Amino acid sequence: MTTQQFDPARPDSAPAPPAGCPARPGPTGPDGTVRIYGPAYESDPTGVFEQLRADHGAVAPVLVTGDLPGWLVLGYRECLEVLRTPTRFSHDSRHWNQLREGKVPADSPLLPVLGWQPDRMTADGAEHRRLRDAVTESMDRFDRRGVRRHVTRFSHRLIDDFCAAGHAELLGQFSQHLPMMVLTQLLGMPEAYGPRLVHAATELVKASDQTIAANIYIKDQLRRLLERKHSAPGDDLASWLIEHPAGLRDEEILNLLWLVLVAANENTTSLLAGALRMVLTDPRFRATLAGGQMTLSDGVEQVLWDDPPTIVIPARWATSDTEVAGRAIRTGDMLLLGVAAGNIDPAIRPDINAPMYGNRAHLSFSGGPHECPGREVARAIADTAIDTLLLRLPDLRLAVDESELRWRATTWTRHLAALPVRFTPGPPVGEEQPEPVVPERRPLPDPAPEPPAEPAAPGGATAEHSWWRGLLGWFRGD
């Protein structure tokens, strides 16, 4: 298959499937194994997960794009077992038996997501710690208030573009753009890169014909960033990784930046849209929030339990013959973490309607040594953006009936297709909002140590903690 040139300025540039390729794969493969890709799955992934749980229990055989086999882990405790034992289940796809046996095509759209890269996501052991420490010490140099100030400034800028109209489509005009605007600032990229990177990052997670080309485009932009920062360093993550004493190679830095950019953007866009939907449609949320019994942060955690941005986390590979939930797993078998299914596992949530406000024991940001790098940045962006939006547009309301909202899904993600709203028109605020303080180029004191994190019993709230400390905790492997 020839990879089509990726055009980030044209969302409609995706090619049609080549002649002879099945455009609409059925719900099962030739042997009856369920496919977790294609229209049948994407129209109702939650329904597919629950049917798999009913048929197979906590671990189910599935097929991914190209009818490659894997195991989908549906149980909460089983997901944690896989995530927390990297000696049994590696994040390094070089263990993958299908890859070693030559069954994964070189142009498979899965490879940008699953393929091995020289970064902390796919590394284990000492190499993982070396890369993790470099990122941790570089992130320490940011002003802890800087991210929230970036979020506030960019939120106002986006709201200014539609506030006078009295209506907007919040996904396309707000949530899809804000996370990337913030992330480009942290990485040291020009703001103008944001819109095209949004489209490229979206294509990357679709496992479509444009996935490989989109991945090439993103990496090209990051390579250009590193070239500039070598000659003109600044107060940003890219510069600090270049000058770190670990002596990281450019390819290592590029892949670390790729991880932050792509993973944090996709998850944060979906989280922000999901939290806004809850604010607009869930009477329990608005009534409780107005009554002062729940913080916005609590509501975000409820969304992360019920409507996680990533529904399936790729992937782990068995390092030897083993067993999970009574299933015999062979060396090199791929395991996919069904976090959306795990979050509603009846074994840990017998009453699905019980509120989970403030409880951070969900699986939505993965777990173990490879926990999501953008988890606290995502929370900070969602909290601050919604606060700013409601402050500017206090009578914000859904413009259609809730039943008319539509969703889009891939193997890995599920998010709203659109979120139309109405509100009383208001004037732009322009440059009245303060610019963010530029972070100082010096190390900041380490935050106070915290005990190792253990999931709270679902249904009970965990203690609130600094979002910045939480981000640093992820990079340290806490």
Side-chain angles (χ1 to χ4, degrees), residues 48 74 84 111 147 159 202 207 216 220 243 258 291 333 375 445 451:
V48 172
L74 302 159
R84 290 178 170 178
L111 287 178
V147 173
I159 295 167
T202 300
I216 292 171
D220 282 347
E243 64 188 47
W258 179 95
D333 277 1
R375 59 176 185 167

Side-chain angles (χ1 to χ4, degrees), residues 1-7 11 13-15 37 42 65 105-115 117 196-220 258 262 266 314 410-413:
M1 182 178 75
T2 301
T3 301
Q4 173 165 319
Q5 179 68 33
F6 178 74
D7 183 355
S13 61
Y37 72 97
E42 292 163 6
T65 303
D107 59 356
S108 168
L110 293 172
L111 287 178
V113 177
L114 300 181
Q117 298 288 344
R196 294 187 174 191
L197 286 170
V198 166
H199 178 50
T202 300
E203 288 297 327
L204 183 62
V205 301
K206 285 183 179 179
S208 70
D209 288 330
Q210 281 204 308
T211 293
I212 293 175
N215 191 49
I216 292 171
Y217 175 81
I218 293 172
K219 289 199 169 185
D220 282 347
W258 179 95
V262 173
E266 176 64 26
T410 70
T411 295
W412 321 114
T413 64

Side-chain angles (χ1 to χ4, degrees), residues 79-277:
C79 280
L80 287 178
E81 177 185 349
V82 173
L83 290 166
R84 290 178 170 178
T85 52
T87 55
R88 292 172 59 205
F89 305 104
S90 173
H91 213 326
D92 187 338
S93 62
R94 289 174 295 184
H95 291 282
W96 192 5
N97 49 25
Q98 300 294 303
L99 192 62
R100 293 200 313 268
E101 295 166 10
K103 297 179 180 178
V104 183
D107 59 356
S108 168
L110 293 172
L111 287 178
V113 177
L114 300 181
W116 180 86
Q117 298 288 344
D119 59 33
R120 71 170 311 279
M121 185 172 71
T122 55
D124 287 314
E127 181 65 5
H128 174 264
R129 287 191 295 273
R130 181 181 77 89
L131 296 169
R132 176 197 64 202
D133 290 347
V135 177
T136 299
E137 291 163 13
S138 297
M139 293 293 287
D140 272 342
R141 301 177 69 171
F142 279 114
D143 183 304
R144 298 175 194 174
R145 302 165 296 175
V147 173
R148 290 191 183 274
R149 287 175 173 165
H150 282 311
V151 176
T152 300
R153 178 165 65 106
F154 290 133
S155 293
H156 282 295
R157 182 181 299 179
L158 290 169
I159 295 167
D160 277 356
D161 288 341
F162 58 76
C163 63
H167 60 86
E169 196 284 284
L170 287 184
L171 185 69
Q173 293 180 265
F174 191 71
S175 357
Q176 280 186 338
H177 297 281
L178 179 62
M180 190 64 80
M181 294 170 81
V182 175
L183 291 168
T184 53
Q185 291 292 295
L186 298 182
L187 270 62
M189 305 178 82
E191 291 180 20
Y193 282 32
R196 294 187 174 191
L197 286 170
V198 166
H199 178 50
T202 300
E203 288 297 327
L204 183 62
V205 301
K206 285 183 179 179
S208 70
D209 288 330
Q210 281 204 308
T211 293
I212 293 175
N215 191 49
I216 292 171
Y217 175 81
I218 293 172
K219 289 199 169 185
D220 282 347
Q221 303 314 307
L222 291 173
R223 286 191 180 93
R224 293 177 185 178
L225 170 67
L226 290 179
E227 290 173 3
R228 291 195 301 272
K229 295 303 176 180
H230 273 295
S231 57
D235 299 312
D236 51 67
L237 185 58
S239 299
W240 294 335
L241 287 172
I242 288 172
E243 64 188 47
H244 192 273
L248 300 178
R249 302 187 308 275
D250 274 7
E251 196 66 16
E252 291 176 322
I253 298 172
L254 184 148
N255 283 291
L256 289 168
L257 296 177
W258 179 95
L259 174 61
V260 173
L261 190 71
V262 173
N265 176 71
E266 176 64 26
N267 281 328
T268 308
T269 294
S270 295
L271 174 59
L272 180 54
L276 283 169
R277 181 191 63 82

